[in-house]
Amino acid sequence: MKPARPQPASTTGHRPALDRSTVPADNTGRTGDKAPQVALWQQLIAVAGVLQAIRGGASGTAALDAVGAALRPGVQALLFQVLRNLGRAEALRRQLARRPPPPDADALLCTALALCWRAEDAPYEPFTLVNQAVEAAKRHPATRAQASFINACLRRFLRENDALVAATDADPVARWNHPLWWIKRLQKDHPQHWEQILHANNTHAPMALRVNRLQGSQARYLQELADMGAAADPAGADGLVLHRPLPVQALPGFAEGRVSVQDMAAQQAAPLLLDGMDRTRRLRVLDACAAPGGKTAHLLEMAGEGAPLQVTALEIDATRAERIHQTLSRLRLAAQVLVADAAQPETWLRAASSGALFDAILLDAPCTASGIVRRHPDVRWLRRETDIAQLAALQKQLLATLWPLLAPGGRMLYCTCSVFRAEGDAQVQTFLAHNTDAHLLPSPGHLIPRAADKDGAVPDNRFGDHDGFFYALLQKSAD
């Protein structure tokens, strides 16, 4: 889904994007359900290596890409659990050792503690995890000298589990497994819902699908899934949420473009922008930060065959722009895709429109990705509080740059996959105060996991089955 480490303000037009062409490994169930393909100690070495890379500033996506193919699925499943419990693990390590061991040993020790600190959630028996972690320490050159230390810490943890866990319960980072600044920010931004957001962030994300209405109906696809023993619930006009994730290769008609994997919150973008617009006339639509192309495709699917909708999709990164081409090709759709910086229209506007204004603009702006932590649990540990101001400045720049490109009476949908108000409500209120020709239409505002249904919001799917998002629909005065 998206993302690797979200980039700061220097990467205009490129936001962390959820890559939903594959199903995260941690959605396949407990790691221990089947015999591992490789030794557990080997997986633990790899997990610790990825954790150390993340601590050094690398994204989990990039670090996992460096893991061998045979190891990667199991390593990702274990890594996601480690990242969801890292605050607790680090607090426990501080109880076990006054001074942290060398980085390699610390990463392996925290990996083991994160996986086994709560026996009912452990992917393997805690005793097995401890044994295999010690074996990993002995076998890896970087941790061999610390093997006895790791063994002593983990054996003590097994003996004194209850007392050690109790000693960390008062630490909010241990309890919520988020940086302290993140917790405080949510307490300020969402005083009624901050606990729900943090709890949701530590759960597995559901697998949501969007049925391509040009190739079939939601009801028909639900029946096809039921016929193959896969249960799902309808959500929205074209979406459904699987009770259990499936590999995309197992989805009926995926290769032929009959269905896409897309979170339910993200599926609100196209209807919000297009519903209520006159689609009998030719509409020029700009998707300003489009990769990997899910929202672009949804706009085209909603338009229907032969509908007069001309979509231009921008992406600053050529590699990510290629993903848009791949998405559209699979779905048998067509749009103009340009490798360009949305903040510099002088470099692309003539190619996109010969200078004409757009009837609608979708600005899915670069953001902290604080709303998609379930799918990318590394985000919370990679982000710094200063990133919020940097990204908010970029969002402000994009809004100011793109607004003049909107025709009178046209609509702009501003959205971010963030739960921080600086990237949502505050950003839009500042924009409205400085643009008297902009009017806020009924919009969902902040969609919060576990608390999405709220007064005044666009009708939403059931609680807890979507990512955190923000939507503001803006209309330009006609005169």
Side-chain angles (χ1 to χ4, degrees):
M1 221 355 220
K2 235 173 174 178
R5 173 169 170 78
Q7 298 296 320
S10 60
T11 58
T12 305
H14 173 66
R15 73 185 274 278
L18 284 176
D19 178 2
R20 288 179 166 74
S21 63
T22 58
V23 181
D26 78 319
N27 276 345
T28 60
R30 286 167 63 95
T31 312
D33 287 348
K34 296 181 180 180
Q37 298 298 309
V38 293
L40 180 55
W41 64 264
Q42 292 177 286
Q43 296 183 63
L44 294 176
I45 288 175
V47 173
V50 175
L51 174 58
Q52 193 172 348
I54 291 171
R55 283 173 162 177
S59 75
T61 301
L64 280 167
D65 284 345
V67 176
L71 279 170
R72 195 176 302 133
V75 168
Q76 180 172 320
L78 293 172
L79 174 69
F80 277 25
Q81 185 161 347
V82 168
L83 293 171
R84 290 179 178 128
N85 290 293
L86 187 58
R88 178 72 70 168
E90 291 179 339
L92 288 169
R93 191 263 294 145
R94 289 192 293 271
Q95 292 289 320
L96 294 165
R98 292 183 179 179
R99 292 184 299 177
D104 293 281
D106 186 62
L108 180 58
L109 178 57
C110 287
T111 290
L113 290 169
L115 293 172
C116 71
W117 81 273
R118 187 161 52 192
E120 59 267 30
D121 295 331
Y124 299 92
E125 290 296 328
F127 185 79
T128 299
L129 285 164
V130 168
N131 280 346
Q132 290 293 291
V134 174
E135 185 69 17
K138 292 177 179 178
R139 289 181 179 257
H140 197 282
T143 55
R144 192 170 295 141
Q146 299 293 322
S148 295
F149 166 80
I150 291 173
N151 181 58
C153 287
L154 292 176
R155 301 296 174 187
R156 180 188 167 197
F157 173 74
L158 289 180
R159 294 193 307 270
E160 304 175 22
N161 178 292
D162 291 345
L164 289 168
V165 170
T168 64
D169 280 341
D171 182 347
V173 178
R175 180 181 179 188
W176 295 110
N177 289 290
H178 285 69
L180 185 59
W181 70 262
W182 190 303
I183 298 170
K184 290 181 176 179
R185 191 92 185 198
L186 288 179
Q187 289 172 333
K188 178 182 177 181
D189 284 359
H190 303 285
Q192 303 299 318
H193 303 301
W194 67 272
E195 290 180 307
Q196 295 173 340
I197 296 171
L198 292 171
H199 175 73
N201 285 353
N202 290 321
T203 63
H204 293 207
M207 185 174 180
L209 306 179
R210 185 188 77 244
V211 178
N212 184 349
R213 62 172 66 181
L214 299 178
Q215 298 191 44
S217 68
Q218 181 190 62
R220 177 184 171 188
Y221 202 85
L222 280 167
Q223 186 58 54
E224 287 188 63
L225 289 173
D227 291 343
M228 60 182 282
D233 294 320
D238 301 307
L240 52 91
V241 180
L242 295 173
H243 290 191
R244 291 181 62 86
L246 292 171
V248 292
Q249 298 84 355
L251 295 173
F254 180 83
E256 293 76 25
R258 293 178 51 211
V259 69
S260 297
V261 185
Q262 186 181 44
D263 184 78
M264 290 309 306
Q267 288 189 41
Q268 293 200 30
L272 278 167
L273 186 61
L274 294 183
D275 284 351
M277 296 194 74
D278 181 6
R279 282 183 266 165
T280 63
R281 66 181 182 88
R282 184 179 183 84
L283 292 178
R284 298 176 39 74
V285 180
L286 174 67
D287 188 349
C289 306
K295 297 181 183 69
T296 304
H298 198 188
L299 289 167
L300 293 165
E301 290 169 7
M302 284 195 63
E305 292 185 15
L309 190 70
Q310 180 182 340
V311 178
T312 297
L314 301 181
E315 173 55 45
I316 192 171
D317 181 81
T319 300
R320 287 170 55 79
E322 181 58 29
R323 291 296 310 278
I324 304 174
H325 286 292
Q326 294 170 0
T327 297
L328 296 177
S329 176
R330 182 180 64 82
L331 295 169
R332 304 175 188 176
L333 300 170
Q336 181 185 36
V337 180
L338 299 177
V339 180
D341 186 343
Q344 298 181 13
E346 67 275 8
T347 65
W348 55 264
L349 184 58
R350 184 157 296 279
S353 65
S354 300
L357 298 178
F358 294 98
D359 299 295
I361 297 176
L362 171 59
L363 174 54
D364 189 0
C367 70
T368 58
S370 57
I372 57 174
V373 176
R374 294 185 302 174
R375 301 178 194 278
H376 298 276
D378 58 323
V379 168
R380 71 188 90 181
W381 307 116
L382 288 170
R383 276 289 174 219
R384 300 294 179 264
E385 189 169 13
T386 54
D387 292 342
I388 299 175
Q390 292 177 336
L391 286 160
L394 174 55
Q395 294 153 9
K396 180 180 179 180
Q397 177 191 6
L398 286 167
L399 280 164
T401 299
L402 296 176
W403 185 250
L405 308 185
L406 186 66
R411 291 180 171 187
M412 174 185 284
L413 180 64
Y414 170 79
C415 60
T416 62
C417 53
S418 174
V419 293
F420 296 142
R421 293 197 178 276
E423 302 179 279
D425 288 343
Q427 185 72 258
V428 169
Q429 292 306 318
T430 299
F431 177 79
L432 290 170
H434 290 86
N435 293 272
T436 57
D437 60 344
H439 308 281
L440 181 63
L441 299 179
S443 311
H446 282 282
L447 293 177
I448 298 169
R450 309 288 183 192
D453 295 344
K454 59 185 189 295
D455 293 341
V458 171
D460 190 33
N461 49 293
R462 57 187 172 81
F463 274 56
D465 62 357
H466 61 74
D467 292 331
F469 240 84
F470 174 82
Y471 282 111
L473 183 61
L474 305 166
Q475 186 165 37
K476 181 177 281 190
S477 298
D479 49 18

